[in-house]
PDB file of all heavy atoms in Angstrom:
ATOM      1  N   LEU A 336      14.286  53.539  13.211  1.00 94.00           N
ATOM      2  CA  LEU A 336      13.551  53.686  11.987  1.00 94.00           C
ATOM      3  C   LEU A 336      14.594  53.257  10.829  1.00 94.00           C
ATOM      4  O   LEU A 336      15.600  53.744  10.535  1.00 94.00           O
ATOM      5  CB  LEU A 336      13.197  55.141  11.789  1.00 94.00           C
ATOM      6  CG  LEU A 336      12.645  55.535  10.369  1.00 94.00           C
ATOM      7  CD1 LEU A 336      11.420  54.749   9.982  1.00 94.00           C
ATOM      8  CD2 LEU A 336      12.319  57.077  10.443  1.00 94.00           C
ATOM      9  N   MET A 337      14.034  52.235  10.112  1.00 89.00           N
ATOM     10  CA  MET A 337      14.823  51.643   9.046  1.00 89.00           C
ATOM     11  C   MET A 337      14.429  51.910   7.727  1.00 89.00           C
ATOM     12  O   MET A 337      13.155  51.730   7.475  1.00 89.00           O
ATOM     13  CB  MET A 337      15.122  50.142   9.243  1.00 89.00           C
ATOM     14  CG  MET A 337      15.978  49.895  10.388  1.00 89.00           C
ATOM     15  SD  MET A 337      16.431  48.361  10.589  1.00 89.00           S
ATOM     16  CE  MET A 337      14.909  47.705  11.345  1.00 89.00           C
ATOM     17  N   ALA A 338      15.206  52.247   6.677  1.00 86.00           N
ATOM     18  CA  ALA A 338      14.741  52.605   5.382  1.00 86.00           C
ATOM     19  C   ALA A 338      15.548  51.631   4.485  1.00 86.00           C
ATOM     20  O   ALA A 338      16.667  51.310   4.795  1.00 86.00           O
ATOM     21  CB  ALA A 338      14.964  53.984   4.989  1.00 86.00           C
ATOM     22  N   PRO A 339      15.039  51.341   3.280  1.00 79.00           N
ATOM     23  CA  PRO A 339      15.797  50.377   2.491  1.00 79.00           C
ATOM     24  C   PRO A 339      17.030  50.923   1.754  1.00 79.00           C
ATOM     25  O   PRO A 339      17.810  50.254   1.352  1.00 79.00           O
ATOM     26  CB  PRO A 339      14.649  49.895   1.427  1.00 79.00           C
ATOM     27  CG  PRO A 339      13.714  51.090   1.495  1.00 79.00           C
ATOM     28  CD  PRO A 339      13.678  51.721   2.765  1.00 79.00           C
ATOM     29  N   THR A 340      17.038  52.236   1.601  1.00 77.00           N
ATOM     30  CA  THR A 340      18.189  52.914   0.825  1.00 77.00           C
ATOM     31  C   THR A 340      18.802  53.957   1.673  1.00 77.00           C
ATOM     32  O   THR A 340      18.043  54.540   2.497  1.00 77.00           O
ATOM     33  CB  THR A 340      17.807  53.379  -0.531  1.00 77.00           C
ATOM     34  OG1 THR A 340      16.849  54.446  -0.139  1.00 77.00           O
ATOM     35  CG2 THR A 340      17.159  52.371  -1.354  1.00 77.00           C
ATOM     36  N   GLU A 341      20.029  54.260   1.362  1.00 80.00           N
ATOM     37  CA  GLU A 341      20.566  55.517   2.101  1.00 80.00           C
ATOM     38  C   GLU A 341      19.918  56.741   1.776  1.00 80.00           C
ATOM     39  O   GLU A 341      19.728  57.576   2.735  1.00 80.00           O
ATOM     40  CB  GLU A 341      22.057  55.597   1.801  1.00 80.00           C
ATOM     41  CG  GLU A 341      22.835  54.414   2.244  1.00 80.00           C
ATOM     42  CD  GLU A 341      24.243  54.802   2.777  1.00 80.00           C
ATOM     43  OE1 GLU A 341      24.676  56.123   2.596  1.00 80.00           O
ATOM     44  OE2 GLU A 341      25.058  54.025   3.253  1.00 80.00           O
ATOM     45  N   ALA A 344      16.892  56.910   3.817  1.00 88.00           N
ATOM     46  CA  ALA A 344      17.281  57.087   5.377  1.00 88.00           C
ATOM     47  C   ALA A 344      17.641  58.597   5.596  1.00 88.00           C
ATOM     48  O   ALA A 344      17.303  59.206   6.492  1.00 88.00           O
ATOM     49  CB  ALA A 344      18.478  56.219   5.727  1.00 88.00           C
ATOM     50  N   LEU A 365      22.367  56.639  11.089  1.00 91.00           N
ATOM     51  CA  LEU A 365      23.542  55.685  11.126  1.00 91.00           C
ATOM     52  C   LEU A 365      23.336  54.892   9.804  1.00 91.00           C
ATOM     53  O   LEU A 365      22.433  54.120   9.627  1.00 91.00           O
ATOM     54  CB  LEU A 365      23.372  54.717  12.286  1.00 91.00           C
ATOM     55  CG  LEU A 365      24.435  53.626  12.414  1.00 91.00           C
ATOM     56  CD1 LEU A 365      25.847  54.315  12.666  1.00 91.00           C
ATOM     57  CD2 LEU A 365      24.080  52.682  13.594  1.00 91.00           C
ATOM     58  N   THR A 366      24.345  55.133   8.866  1.00 85.00           N
ATOM     59  CA  THR A 366      24.390  54.352   7.584  1.00 85.00           C
ATOM     60  C   THR A 366      25.751  53.761   7.356  1.00 85.00           C
ATOM     61  O   THR A 366      26.622  54.059   7.988  1.00 85.00           O
ATOM     62  CB  THR A 366      24.021  55.360   6.510  1.00 85.00           C
ATOM     63  OG1 THR A 366      24.965  56.348   6.378  1.00 85.00           O
ATOM     64  CG2 THR A 366      22.601  55.826   6.539  1.00 85.00           C
ATOM     65  N   GLY A 367      25.664  52.802   6.386  1.00 80.00           N
ATOM     66  CA  GLY A 367      26.865  52.066   6.193  1.00 80.00           C
ATOM     67  C   GLY A 367      28.068  52.839   5.696  1.00 80.00           C
ATOM     68  O   GLY A 367      29.159  52.598   6.025  1.00 80.00           O
ATOM     69  N   ILE A 390      17.952  56.683  13.002  1.00 95.00           N
ATOM     70  CA  ILE A 390      17.491  56.453  11.476  1.00 95.00           C
ATOM     71  C   ILE A 390      18.627  55.708  10.760  1.00 95.00           C
ATOM     72  O   ILE A 390      19.712  56.129  10.903  1.00 95.00           O
ATOM     73  CB  ILE A 390      17.037  57.652  10.942  1.00 95.00           C
ATOM     74  CG1 ILE A 390      15.909  58.273  11.664  1.00 95.00           C
ATOM     75  CG2 ILE A 390      16.536  57.440   9.529  1.00 95.00           C
ATOM     76  CD1 ILE A 390      15.406  59.715  11.243  1.00 95.00           C
ATOM     77  N   GLY A 391      18.295  54.690  10.064  1.00 91.00           N
ATOM     78  CA  GLY A 391      19.320  54.015   9.285  1.00 91.00           C
ATOM     79  C   GLY A 391      18.827  53.094   8.220  1.00 91.00           C
ATOM     80  O   GLY A 391      17.673  53.101   8.037  1.00 91.00           O
ATOM     81  N   THR A 392      19.815  52.608   7.616  1.00 84.00           N
ATOM     82  CA  THR A 392      19.406  51.571   6.580  1.00 84.00           C
ATOM     83  C   THR A 392      19.369  50.149   7.234  1.00 84.00           C
ATOM     84  O   THR A 392      19.402  50.097   8.441  1.00 84.00           O
ATOM     85  CB  THR A 392      20.433  51.567   5.407  1.00 84.00           C
ATOM     86  OG1 THR A 392      21.693  51.292   5.926  1.00 84.00           O
ATOM     87  CG2 THR A 392      20.482  52.837   4.640  1.00 84.00           C
ATOM     88  N   HIS A 393      19.252  49.163   6.356  1.00 71.00           N
ATOM     89  CA  HIS A 393      19.382  47.880   7.054  1.00 71.00           C
ATOM     90  C   HIS A 393      20.689  47.472   7.608  1.00 71.00           C
ATOM     91  O   HIS A 393      20.830  46.401   8.261  1.00 71.00           O
ATOM     92  CB  HIS A 393      18.987  46.736   5.991  1.00 71.00           C
ATOM     93  CG  HIS A 393      19.517  46.918   4.745  1.00 71.00           C
ATOM     94  ND1 HIS A 393      19.282  47.615   3.754  1.00 71.00           N
ATOM     95  CD2 HIS A 393      20.737  46.267   4.356  1.00 71.00           C
ATOM     96  CE1 HIS A 393      20.034  47.546   2.678  1.00 71.00           C
ATOM     97  NE2 HIS A 393      20.947  46.815   3.089  1.00 71.00           N
ATOM     98  N   ALA A 394      21.603  48.441   7.512  1.00 69.00           N
ATOM     99  CA  ALA A 394      22.910  48.186   8.211  1.00 69.00           C
ATOM    100  C   ALA A 394      22.629  48.094   9.728  1.00 69.00           C
ATOM    101  O   ALA A 394      23.264  47.355  10.436  1.00 69.00           O
ATOM    102  CB  ALA A 394      23.845  49.481   8.016  1.00 69.00           C
ATOM    103  N   LEU A 395      21.512  48.721  10.100  1.00 71.00           N
ATOM    104  CA  LEU A 395      21.043  48.534  11.606  1.00 71.00           C
ATOM    105  C   LEU A 395      20.677  47.194  11.833  1.00 71.00           C
ATOM    106  O   LEU A 395      20.808  46.680  12.908  1.00 71.00           O
ATOM    107  CB  LEU A 395      19.744  49.371  11.723  1.00 71.00           C
ATOM    108  CG  LEU A 395      19.877  50.850  12.043  1.00 71.00           C
ATOM    109  CD1 LEU A 395      18.573  51.481  12.208  1.00 71.00           C
ATOM    110  CD2 LEU A 395      20.834  51.172  13.279  1.00 71.00           C
ATOM    111  N   LEU A 396      20.276  46.410  10.854  1.00 62.00           N
ATOM    112  CA  LEU A 396      19.781  45.066  10.935  1.00 62.00           C
ATOM    113  C   LEU A 396      21.011  44.071  10.912  1.00 62.00           C
ATOM    114  O   LEU A 396      21.066  43.158  11.631  1.00 62.00           O
ATOM    115  CB  LEU A 396      18.987  44.723   9.742  1.00 62.00           C
ATOM    116  CG  LEU A 396      17.582  44.028  10.001  1.00 62.00           C
ATOM    117  CD1 LEU A 396      16.792  44.111   8.701  1.00 62.00           C
ATOM    118  CD2 LEU A 396      17.771  42.548  10.341  1.00 62.00           C
ATOM    119  N   GLU A 397      21.903  44.434  10.037  1.00 63.00           N
ATOM    120  CA  GLU A 397      22.946  43.470   9.848  1.00 63.00           C
ATOM    121  C   GLU A 397      24.077  43.526  10.754  1.00 63.00           C
ATOM    122  O   GLU A 397      24.578  42.615  11.228  1.00 63.00           O
ATOM    123  CB  GLU A 397      23.541  43.588   8.465  1.00 63.00           C
ATOM    124  CG  GLU A 397      22.990  42.464   7.429  1.00 63.00           C
ATOM    125  CD  GLU A 397      22.460  42.941   6.190  1.00 63.00           C
ATOM    126  OE1 GLU A 397      23.134  43.868   5.602  1.00 63.00           O
ATOM    127  OE2 GLU A 397      21.324  42.537   5.790  1.00 63.00           O
ATOM    128  N   GLU A 398      24.479  44.769  11.199  1.00 67.00           N
ATOM    129  CA  GLU A 398      25.573  44.892  12.149  1.00 67.00           C
ATOM    130  C   GLU A 398      24.863  44.987  13.589  1.00 67.00           C
ATOM    131  O   GLU A 398      23.725  45.464  13.662  1.00 67.00           O
ATOM    132  CB  GLU A 398      26.397  46.230  11.919  1.00 67.00           C
ATOM    133  CG  GLU A 398      27.000  46.211  10.528  1.00 67.00           C
ATOM    134  CD  GLU A 398      27.506  47.618  10.185  1.00 67.00           C
ATOM    135  OE1 GLU A 398      27.894  48.332  11.083  1.00 67.00           O
ATOM    136  OE2 GLU A 398      27.442  48.004   8.922  1.00 67.00           O
ATOM    137  N   VAL A 400      23.781  46.613  16.611  1.00 82.00           N
ATOM    138  CA  VAL A 400      23.781  47.911  17.181  1.00 82.00           C
ATOM    139  C   VAL A 400      23.129  47.775  18.592  1.00 82.00           C
ATOM    140  O   VAL A 400      22.002  47.219  18.723  1.00 82.00           O
ATOM    141  CB  VAL A 400      22.780  48.841  16.309  1.00 82.00           C
ATOM    142  CG1 VAL A 400      22.797  50.143  16.890  1.00 82.00           C
ATOM    143  CG2 VAL A 400      23.460  48.987  14.902  1.00 82.00           C
ATOM    144  N   VAL A 410       9.904  49.930  10.383  1.00 87.00           N
ATOM    145  CA  VAL A 410      10.500  49.611   9.018  1.00 87.00           C
ATOM    146  C   VAL A 410       9.830  50.159   7.813  1.00 87.00           C
ATOM    147  O   VAL A 410       8.542  50.039   7.733  1.00 87.00           O
ATOM    148  CB  VAL A 410      10.399  48.148   8.823  1.00 87.00           C
ATOM    149  CG1 VAL A 410      11.208  47.724   7.607  1.00 87.00           C
ATOM    150  CG2 VAL A 410      10.982  47.299  10.105  1.00 87.00           C
ATOM    151  N   ARG A 415      10.826  46.892  -0.318  1.00 48.00           N
ATOM    152  CA  ARG A 415      12.162  46.886  -0.728  1.00 48.00           C
ATOM    153  C   ARG A 415      12.979  45.912   0.047  1.00 48.00           C
ATOM    154  O   ARG A 415      13.931  45.207  -0.243  1.00 48.00           O
ATOM    155  CB  ARG A 415      12.819  48.255  -0.617  1.00 48.00           C
ATOM    156  CG  ARG A 415      12.716  48.930  -1.957  1.00 48.00           C
ATOM    157  CD  ARG A 415      13.238  48.119  -3.146  1.00 48.00           C
ATOM    158  NE  ARG A 415      13.072  48.726  -4.337  1.00 48.00           N
ATOM    159  CZ  ARG A 415      13.882  49.211  -5.137  1.00 48.00           C
ATOM    160  NH1 ARG A 415      15.094  49.412  -4.721  1.00 48.00           N
ATOM    161  NH2 ARG A 415      13.558  49.584  -6.346  1.00 48.00           N
ATOM    162  N   PHE A 416      12.506  45.766   1.283  1.00 45.00           N
ATOM    163  CA  PHE A 416      13.264  44.769   2.144  1.00 45.00           C
ATOM    164  C   PHE A 416      12.922  43.360   1.796  1.00 45.00           C
ATOM    165  O   PHE A 416      13.665  42.505   1.850  1.00 45.00           O
ATOM    166  CB  PHE A 416      12.889  45.034   3.591  1.00 45.00           C
ATOM    167  CG  PHE A 416      13.581  45.992   4.365  1.00 45.00           C
ATOM    168  CD1 PHE A 416      12.933  47.191   4.690  1.00 45.00           C
ATOM    169  CD2 PHE A 416      14.812  45.826   4.682  1.00 45.00           C
ATOM    170  CE1 PHE A 416      13.626  48.180   5.458  1.00 45.00           C
ATOM    171  CE2 PHE A 416      15.629  46.825   5.340  1.00 45.00           C
ATOM    172  CZ  PHE A 416      14.954  48.008   5.696  1.00 45.00           C
ATOM    173  N   GLN A 420      13.407  39.345   4.599  1.00 48.00           N
ATOM    174  CA  GLN A 420      14.142  40.154   5.460  1.00 48.00           C
ATOM    175  C   GLN A 420      13.161  40.592   6.658  1.00 48.00           C
ATOM    176  O   GLN A 420      13.714  40.699   7.775  1.00 48.00           O
ATOM    177  CB  GLN A 420      14.579  41.501   4.738  1.00 48.00           C
ATOM    178  CG  GLN A 420      16.131  41.458   4.825  1.00 48.00           C
ATOM    179  CD  GLN A 420      16.649  42.505   3.839  1.00 48.00           C
ATOM    180  OE1 GLN A 420      16.006  42.925   2.802  1.00 48.00           O
ATOM    181  NE2 GLN A 420      17.710  43.029   4.299  1.00 48.00           N
ATOM    182  N   LYS A 423      13.243  37.868   9.069  1.00 48.00           N
ATOM    183  CA  LYS A 423      14.622  37.968   9.858  1.00 48.00           C
ATOM    184  C   LYS A 423      14.461  38.934  10.803  1.00 48.00           C
ATOM    185  O   LYS A 423      14.824  38.772  12.011  1.00 48.00           O
ATOM    186  CB  LYS A 423      15.725  38.233   8.806  1.00 48.00           C
ATOM    187  CG  LYS A 423      16.967  38.256   9.341  1.00 48.00           C
ATOM    188  CD  LYS A 423      18.113  38.385   8.171  1.00 48.00           C
ATOM    189  CE  LYS A 423      19.317  38.891   8.570  1.00 48.00           C
ATOM    190  NZ  LYS A 423      20.065  39.244   7.444  1.00 48.00           N
ATOM    191  N   LEU A 424      14.020  40.044  10.435  1.00 48.00           N
ATOM    192  CA  LEU A 424      13.867  41.193  11.406  1.00 48.00           C
ATOM    193  C   LEU A 424      13.091  40.897  12.580  1.00 48.00           C
ATOM    194  O   LEU A 424      13.358  41.051  13.771  1.00 48.00           O
ATOM    195  CB  LEU A 424      13.296  42.447  10.752  1.00 48.00           C
ATOM    196  CG  LEU A 424      12.944  43.543  11.575  1.00 48.00           C
ATOM    197  CD1 LEU A 424      14.120  44.444  12.090  1.00 48.00           C
ATOM    198  CD2 LEU A 424      11.921  44.491  11.098  1.00 48.00           C
ATOM    199  N   ALA A 435      19.860  41.371  16.525  1.00 34.00           N
ATOM    200  CA  ALA A 435      20.274  42.545  15.676  1.00 34.00           C
ATOM    201  C   ALA A 435      20.272  43.839  16.327  1.00 34.00           C
ATOM    202  O   ALA A 435      21.179  44.620  16.226  1.00 34.00           O
ATOM    203  CB  ALA A 435      19.309  42.556  14.518  1.00 34.00           C
ATOM    204  N   LEU A 436      19.313  43.975  17.184  1.00 40.00           N
ATOM    205  CA  LEU A 436      19.123  45.155  17.893  1.00 40.00           C
ATOM    206  C   LEU A 436      19.248  44.824  19.431  1.00 40.00           C
ATOM    207  O   LEU A 436      18.262  44.416  20.045  1.00 40.00           O
ATOM    208  CB  LEU A 436      17.880  45.858  17.576  1.00 40.00           C
ATOM    209  CG  LEU A 436      17.660  46.087  16.086  1.00 40.00           C
ATOM    210  CD1 LEU A 436      16.176  46.376  15.808  1.00 40.00           C
ATOM    211  CD2 LEU A 436      18.546  47.181  15.531  1.00 40.00           C
TER     212      LEU A 436
END
Side-chain angles (χ1 to χ4, degrees):
L336 168 56
M337 289 190 281
T340 63
E341 290 218 357
L365 183 64
T366 58
I390 299 176
T392 56
H393 49 271
L395 281 181
L396 225 168
E397 260 133 39
E398 300 166 32
V400 179
V410 187
R415 270 300 169 110
F416 276 111
Q420 242 167 329
K423 183 169 155 194
L424 170 82
L436 307 163

